[in-house]
Amino acid sequence: MVSITVFKFGKVGFVSHSKLNTNMLLHCGQIETKEEAAISWENFQNNFSTRARSWKNEKMITSLRECEFSMRIDKDYICGIDGSKPQPGPGFMSILASNLYLQLQMNSISGLVEFFEDELVSKPMPSKIILDNLQIQLQEEQPPSSMLSPNSAPLNISLPGCIIERTIDGTLSVLPFLMGINGESPGLSICDNSEDEQLSLVKLVQDNKELRSKLNLMKNLEQENQILRQELNLLRNSVEDERLKQLLESRCEIRRLEHEKTTLQETLRLLQNEVNRLETEKQQVNRYH
């Protein structure tokens, strides 16, 4: 028996900017979970393959629950005093989760912990996590001990908001959530570690549209280039055929001229012999007279 936890993501955007500082931003506007507990391996294979095929044509983005999840990683480099190669610094990670609702099984939590667990112990990265209107429903999968025992009630966790900070030495601090102006949530700008590099979702969509248009233009240019290559190959083949034809005609003409030359030389030799014979006869006639 196996259990499945499916995470569906919609309106996903990813931006990576590399220079001396490496910045990465991941934004997701729709998240939804779906679980299937205690199913057979054959049923898992059938459901997985069927669902994978149906996802290709099924438009589920509009039906997903709206939320806001943003993660930003700023990786800095420390230059050596002696002018050596810059070394990577600790960096900083910012996470914002707002209006997020998840429905998970108890064993899914332990499975997710094992999924994100790394084999190597890494150095703590300074980070800041902002949670706003987080709701989690945990369900117990184990059946009751007897037939008369009631089913376990789900555990609903509602977190209006808090801020979790982690320092470079690994210390965790849980701070109260500070509302923005007019009681609004701080939004994505809190996750931005630099005011000069604030990224909005609207600009990201516009950039994606421009990239798609450029990609379509590149595809059209590639098709035109293929057509031009084919025409060029045909032209080259025709030119080569014409040159080959001219070469064959030239060879035939050379052979004809060589044959005529041989014939003329033979005729000239015969005429020379005839002239010599006539001169000999003339000399003999003159002697008798």
Side-chain angles (χ1 to χ4, degrees):
M1 306 297 288
V2 295
S3 60
I4 305 175
T5 302
V6 180
F7 287 85
K8 301 178 183 179
F9 300 95
K11 297 181 180 180
V12 179
F14 178 78
V15 177
S16 177
H17 178 64
S18 297
K19 51 180 182 178
L20 185 59
N21 296 329
T22 302
N23 303 323
M24 291 183 293
L25 176 64
L26 175 65
H27 181 269
C28 182
Q30 294 175 337
I31 299 178
E32 188 173 316
T33 59
K34 183 179 180 181
E35 292 194 327
E36 296 182 9
I39 63 175
S40 63
W41 178 254
E42 291 78 9
N43 192 14
F44 166 73
Q45 293 289 340
N46 295 331
N47 291 343
F48 186 82
S49 60
T50 303
R51 187 177 293 111
R53 287 195 298 267
S54 62
W55 282 356
K56 294 181 180 179
N57 299 323
E58 184 180 359
K59 297 181 179 179
M60 301 180 300
I61 303 301
T62 56
S63 62
L64 298 182
R65 187 185 300 272
E66 295 289 339
C67 67
E68 184 175 2
F69 179 84
S70 301
M71 182 175 66
R72 180 189 178 100
I73 298 178
D74 297 321
K75 196 69 175 179
D76 54 356
Y77 289 85
I78 301 175
C79 298
I81 301 177
D82 54 352
S84 59
K85 185 178 180 180
Q87 300 295 328
F92 190 84
M93 180 175 64
S94 303
I95 298 177
L96 170 65
S98 179
N99 299 324
L100 187 60
Y101 175 78
L102 300 176
Q103 186 176 3
L104 300 172
Q105 302 287 346
M106 288 292 189
N107 62 347
S108 299
I109 301 297
S110 60
L112 289 175
V113 172
E114 295 178 357
F115 179 77
F116 287 105
E117 185 178 5
D118 197 353
E119 297 179 357
L120 301 177
V121 179
S122 58
K123 296 181 180 180
M125 175 183 289
S127 56
K128 181 179 181 180
I129 302 175
I130 300 176
L131 302 178
D132 180 19
N133 190 18
L134 178 63
Q135 297 181 9
I136 301 177
Q137 186 183 65
L138 299 178
Q139 297 179 354
E140 183 66 33
E141 293 185 3
Q142 296 181 357
S145 57
S146 64
M147 297 180 60
L148 299 178
S149 300
N151 294 327
S152 58
L155 177 61
N156 296 318
I157 301 176
S158 178
L159 187 61
C162 70
I163 300 176
I164 303 175
E165 292 185 351
R166 185 184 187 185
T167 58
I168 193 172
D169 58 356
T171 303
L172 291 176
S173 301
V174 181
L175 305 176
F177 183 74
L178 300 177
M179 301 299 293
I181 302 175
N182 298 328
E184 297 178 354
S185 61
L188 183 60
S189 60
I190 295 180
C191 281
D192 292 339
N193 195 32
S194 174
E195 296 181 357
D196 298 335
E197 297 181 357
Q198 292 184 355
L199 298 175
S200 62
L201 184 60
V202 177
K203 186 176 183 302
L204 181 61
V205 173
Q206 292 177 354
D207 293 341
N208 288 337
K209 289 182 179 179
E210 292 179 358
L211 290 175
R212 289 193 187 97
S213 61
K214 291 181 180 179
L215 181 60
N216 294 330
L217 180 60
M218 292 296 292
K219 289 181 179 179
N220 295 332
L221 290 176
E222 182 65 23
Q223 293 178 357
E224 293 179 358
N225 289 335
Q226 290 181 357
I227 295 174
L228 290 176
R229 291 192 191 98
Q230 293 177 358
E231 293 179 353
L232 181 60
N233 291 330
L234 293 175
L235 182 60
R236 286 178 178 175
N237 294 332
S238 62
V239 171
E240 290 178 357
D241 294 340
E242 185 67 24
R243 288 180 179 177
L244 182 60
K245 183 179 179 181
Q246 292 178 358
L247 180 60
L248 293 175
E249 291 178 353
S250 300
R251 287 182 178 179
C252 293
E253 184 68 19
I254 290 173
R255 290 177 181 176
R256 187 184 65 80
L257 293 175
E258 288 179 350
H259 180 70
E260 289 183 358
K261 178 182 177 182
T262 305
T263 304
L264 291 174
Q265 288 178 349
E266 183 67 21
T267 304
L268 181 61
R269 187 181 63 81
L270 293 175
L271 291 175
Q272 186 68 34
N273 293 334
E274 184 68 21
V275 170
N276 294 334
R277 187 183 64 81
L278 291 175
E279 288 181 353
T280 303
E281 291 179 354
K282 183 178 179 181
Q283 290 177 359
Q284 290 178 357
V285 170
N286 291 332
R287 285 179 184 178
Y288 292 137
H289 292 287

